[in-house]
Amino acid sequence: MSDFSVNQFLEMAGTPPLDIEICDVTLRDGEQMPGVVFKPEEKLEIARRLDEIGVEIIEAGFPVVSKSEKNAVRDICNLGLNAKISALSRSRQSDVDVAIDCGVDMVSVFIATSDLHLKYKLHMTCAEAIRCALETVEYAKEHGLIVRFSAEDATRTDFNTLKKLYKKAEEYHADYVSVADTVGIMNPRTMYYMISEIKKIVNIPICVHCHDDLGLALANTLAGAEAGAKQLHTTVNGIGERSGNTPLEELLVNLRLHYGIDRYDLSKLKSISSLVERYSGVPVAKNKAVVGDNAFAHESGIHVAAVLEEPRTYELYSPEMVGAERRIIIGKHTGAKALKYITKKMGYDLEKKDLCLLAEKVKTASEFKRPITCDELRRLILDLKIEFVYNGP
């Protein structure tokens, strides 16, 4: 019996192969989430974990912000990681000097380009902003850095102006141009069109940096990649300003399943998610894709029965692929078959009639809206005073 998989749809749709790299910005944009501050040693550990996954570029921070930030960026540069280390820089030569002093491989030179930002934030004309940006790009290149030029609020910038600016940045020898969807205004269709048009006028790689204000950051990032963007920006757990950024874990799983990109170690995704959750103090939603507690949790009797026989019935990919574990939940929707599996693992060998009786007790006991623990289930078994064979410890 054939399995009509998503790959068949992708083949029919003519999904293109992708030439991409990941730039993770957890240590910079992720830390700009209100209330999040990573200690220096925490930044080092996150950087190591990102490197182990195979992330090609790590944006280590914004070193001009403070002495401790500069020291943290320098320490990450000294770890000897395989990933290239990048730092953020305003369109100021003094910012570039601080980044150079840290020993970074790459600098991300940014300036706001939308009329809204020019008027109310920078209080500059577009010509003045462009001059500052290009002079800084040129200065950074003269000092041997890989340079990414990023137009902040690019997706609300006059498109003809933006294209001319990216072309100028290429003429000034920028290595990348970056489209920052700063307020998450795009949708996949508009992002695909925008990147396709920019790709017609520049020969250097394009980056996409998506925010999640409309819940479309991941979809927009994938659309940008399909249109030809090379560098895709992420944060672990999608943390970042306001509603956050494209989640690293969700992007990497999509790249594996939909596009066959398998060079990243997905088995470390759950552990780095838990690490960043602990360090940031930002809890991961239970129903979050890939790394949420419920991503591989099953309670419904019909679902559990099927999963116990063949996990693929209700799991698109195995929990082991992302370093997670399957959980069978004891609750209102748990059936006799699931209880047989759970109680057997606990050491009990119960008859079918007793399992049905136990299932009824579980349904009643779970009405207080939370799953039942194994200890509570054991007490229910003992309270029923049923005869059973116990093979547990």
Side-chain angles (χ1 to χ4, degrees):
M1 184 175 178
S2 64
D3 179 15
F4 194 81
S5 69
V6 69
N7 291 327
Q8 290 173 285
F9 283 112
L10 292 169
E11 288 170 9
M12 290 188 289
T15 303
L18 303 186
D19 175 24
I20 61 97
E21 63 187 15
I22 303 297
C23 175
D24 189 86
V25 298
T26 302
L27 298 177
R28 198 274 302 167
D29 210 337
E31 197 181 36
Q32 288 175 208
M33 186 170 190
V36 174
V37 178
F38 295 123
K39 297 176 183 177
E41 61 271 21
E42 293 172 344
K43 284 199 166 198
L44 292 174
E45 183 59 25
I46 292 170
R48 288 190 192 97
R49 299 287 192 95
L50 290 169
D51 192 58
E52 289 172 1
I53 288 169
V55 166
E56 288 89 352
I57 300 158
I58 298 170
E59 189 156 292
F62 194 177
V64 78
V65 165
S66 69
K67 184 178 180 180
S68 62
E69 178 81 348
K70 179 182 176 182
N71 289 339
V73 173
R74 180 188 287 128
D75 289 344
I76 291 170
C77 290
N78 291 333
L79 286 175
L81 304 179
N82 291 317
K84 289 183 173 64
I85 307 303
S86 177
L88 190 67
S89 166
R90 293 168 297 180
S91 291
R92 297 182 183 181
Q93 293 181 6
S94 56
D95 281 23
V96 174
D97 288 335
V98 176
I100 291 169
D101 195 41
C102 292
V104 299
D105 304 294
M106 175 187 292
V107 67
S108 181
V109 174
F110 77 96
I111 199 160
T113 53
S114 68
D115 289 341
L116 194 64
H117 278 234
L118 289 168
K119 181 177 181 180
Y120 293 104
K121 187 180 79 170
L122 296 182
H123 306 290
M124 298 170 71
T125 66
C126 186
E128 289 171 334
I130 289 172
R131 178 176 54 78
C132 288
L134 295 177
E135 287 177 355
T136 308
V137 166
E138 185 175 51
Y139 182 78
K141 284 301 299 179
E142 288 173 350
H143 286 76
L145 293 174
I146 300 168
V147 178
R148 177 176 69 219
F149 169 68
S150 178
E152 186 185 8
D153 209 22
T155 52
R156 292 193 296 180
T157 298
D158 175 79
F159 198 30
N160 288 327
T161 301
L162 187 68
K163 287 189 287 187
K164 290 175 184 176
L165 176 54
Y166 284 149
K167 188 63 182 172
K168 273 289 184 183
E170 182 179 24
E171 291 171 6
Y172 275 70
H173 307 296
D175 299 283
Y176 297 84
V177 290
S178 182
V179 173
D181 188 19
T182 302
V183 294
I185 195 174
M186 300 297 270
N187 65 46
R189 188 177 180 87
T190 54
M191 181 60 82
Y192 186 95
Y193 174 79
M194 185 178 198
I195 300 303
S196 298
E197 291 299 303
I198 294 170
K199 195 165 176 63
K200 292 176 183 177
I201 62 161
V202 298
N203 298 308
I204 56 177
I206 302 167
C207 315
V208 286
H209 179 99
C210 298
H211 281 261
D212 206 33
D213 298 74
L214 292 176
L216 292 171
L218 173 62
N220 289 339
T221 299
L222 290 170
E226 285 202 4
K230 181 177 178 65
Q231 190 180 106
L232 314 180
H233 291 197
T234 64
T235 62
V236 177
N237 296 337
I239 64 172
E241 293 186 273
R242 301 181 315 280
S243 300
N245 298 56
T246 303
L248 172 72
E249 58 284 351
E250 294 177 25
L251 180 62
L252 293 189
V253 170
N254 272 275
L255 291 174
R256 168 76 64 87
L257 297 182
H258 287 302
Y259 305 95
I261 296 174
D262 62 359
R263 64 178 179 268
Y264 302 104
D265 188 350
L266 305 190
S267 69
K268 300 182 186 302
L269 291 178
K270 178 65 175 177
S271 62
I272 195 172
S273 168
S274 299
L275 184 81
V276 170
E277 179 181 34
R278 187 166 74 251
Y279 287 169
S280 67
V282 179
V284 172
K286 288 183 180 295
N287 65 333
K288 188 182 185 304
V290 181
V291 293
D293 283 349
N294 291 348
F296 302 97
H298 309 277
E299 179 186 331
S300 170
I302 296 172
H303 287 208
V304 170
V307 165
L308 293 178
E309 191 163 329
E310 172 50 74
R312 290 182 302 165
T313 52
Y314 286 101
E315 289 175 356
L316 176 60
Y317 52 93
S318 72
E320 292 80 13
M321 187 178 91
V322 296
E325 294 180 353
R326 181 178 301 111
R327 293 194 305 135
I328 305 299
I329 305 298
I330 310 164
K332 177 181 177 180
H333 303 97
T334 303
K337 188 166 184 178
L339 282 174
K340 182 176 178 63
Y341 169 80
I342 295 164
T343 54
K344 203 168 186 67
K345 287 191 74 173
M346 292 169 62
Y348 298 97
D349 191 2
L350 304 181
E351 298 292 331
K352 183 175 180 180
K353 62 181 178 62
D354 297 321
L355 285 166
C356 291
L357 183 61
L358 182 60
E360 289 304 313
K361 288 289 185 183
V362 165
K363 292 180 195 299
T364 303
S366 63
E367 293 294 335
F368 45 81
K369 295 189 176 182
R370 68 168 177 80
I372 292 173
T373 67
C374 286
D375 284 342
E376 289 168 334
L377 184 63
R378 185 174 286 109
R379 283 197 292 273
L380 286 176
I381 294 171
L382 296 174
D383 288 346
L384 287 171
K385 295 183 171 62
I386 57 179
E387 293 185 8
F388 55 82
V389 177
Y390 179 61
N391 299 312

